[in-house]
Amino acid sequence: MSDKKASNQMWGGRFASGPAAIMEAINASISFDRKLYAQDIRGSIAHSEMLAQTGIISAADQEKIAHGLNTILKEIEAGKFEFSTKLEDIHMNVEARLADLIGSAAGRLHTARSRNDQVAVDLRLWVKEECQRVARALKDLIAAFLERAEEHAATVMPGFTHMQAAQPVTFGHHCMAYVEMFGRDLSRVRDAIERMDEARWAPPPLPAPVFPSTAT
């Protein structure tokens, strides 16, 4: 699939020529959303599996799609993939290359999902993985403060309140204050990760009404 053809498919096929260069520059997001390549490919493989399981596409097409997407993943990670601004974003770049690799089966991948669905999935997966990375870093930071706290359990230092010296404390005790603070941050990040795994929230059903007895 050519860059021009793929780009035109994004904004409509009724125009005789492609967009002007300035419009390509305005619309293109590939310079930054290329970071979503792994999440975009993973989400597309999962989507293709759903399409095959529900009988929307054949198992043979799903196998071709998954193989093609994994090939693209390897190309990107090896630095052999050529990103194109004419294809605007990571989704079109991946889809165009998939069509080159497997032909018409690539066109069936986008069945039953919108571009907005794809963007939402990619961003949620990326943010979740970044939160997991932050959580690991916070755990390491807390462990480092715990080590310093143990080493300096008896190291005396002045405590401060309102920017003035107050009662003496130990440096170990001071380190433990940061353990508590970063521990709260870690719990917030973990809560965000858990919330990103939730489906759309629905309120629990209301209990059945209890009517007063009419017995005398």
Side-chain angles (χ1 to χ4, degrees):
M1 183 184 297
S2 67
D3 286 359
K4 181 178 178 181
K5 182 178 178 183
S7 181
N8 284 350
Q9 288 180 346
M10 280 294 290
W11 48 266
R14 291 178 293 172
F15 298 93
S17 61
I22 189 170
M23 286 305 300
E24 284 186 355
I26 291 172
N27 288 330
S29 59
I30 190 61
S31 62
F32 54 87
D33 67 18
R34 63 198 295 173
K35 292 182 179 180
L36 303 176
Y37 73 89
Q39 292 78 18
D40 190 72
I41 289 172
R42 200 161 84 239
S44 289
I45 291 174
H47 186 71
S48 73
E49 291 173 349
M50 179 279 294
L51 292 176
Q53 288 172 5
T54 54
I56 296 174
I57 66 173
S58 67
D61 277 349
Q62 194 279 324
E63 186 176 347
K64 288 180 183 178
I65 289 170
H67 178 73
L69 289 170
N70 282 316
T71 299
I72 294 169
L73 179 64
K74 292 176 182 177
E75 290 178 349
I76 295 175
E77 292 181 340
K80 297 178 180 179
F81 189 92
E82 294 186 11
F83 293 98
S84 171
T85 56
K86 292 183 179 180
L87 294 174
E88 299 180 9
D89 57 29
I90 186 61
H91 321 297
M92 288 300 297
N93 271 264
V94 169
E95 288 173 21
R97 178 58 178 150
L98 184 62
D100 290 339
L101 290 172
I102 69 171
S104 61
R108 301 182 186 101
L109 173 61
H110 213 56
T111 305
R113 70 172 175 179
S114 71
R115 185 67 67 195
N116 288 340
D117 293 333
Q118 197 171 357
V119 171
V121 168
D122 290 1
L123 284 174
R124 178 176 286 201
L125 288 174
W126 185 85
V127 171
K128 180 181 176 181
E129 290 171 11
E130 287 299 298
C131 284
Q132 290 170 335
R133 182 184 62 80
V134 171
R136 290 192 296 270
L138 281 169
K139 287 177 65 177
D140 291 342
L141 183 59
I142 290 170
F145 269 108
L146 285 171
E147 289 182 10
R148 298 292 85 76
E150 188 172 355
E151 291 174 5
H152 295 280
T155 303
V156 179
M157 63 169 284
F160 286 82
T161 180
H162 299 83
M163 304 301 293
Q164 298 185 41
Q167 70 184 55
V169 296
T170 67
F171 183 60
H173 185 76
H174 184 66
C175 287
M176 289 303 297
Y178 287 94
V179 169
E180 293 295 324
M181 286 186 278
F182 288 125
R184 289 193 292 272
D185 291 336
L186 179 58
S187 70
R188 295 181 184 112
V189 172
R190 285 173 170 167
D191 182 60
I193 293 171
E194 184 177 350
R195 287 175 182 273
M196 279 184 279
D197 281 338
E198 290 180 353
R200 181 178 297 178
W201 183 82
L206 294 174
V210 177
F211 298 101
S213 175
T214 58
T216 57

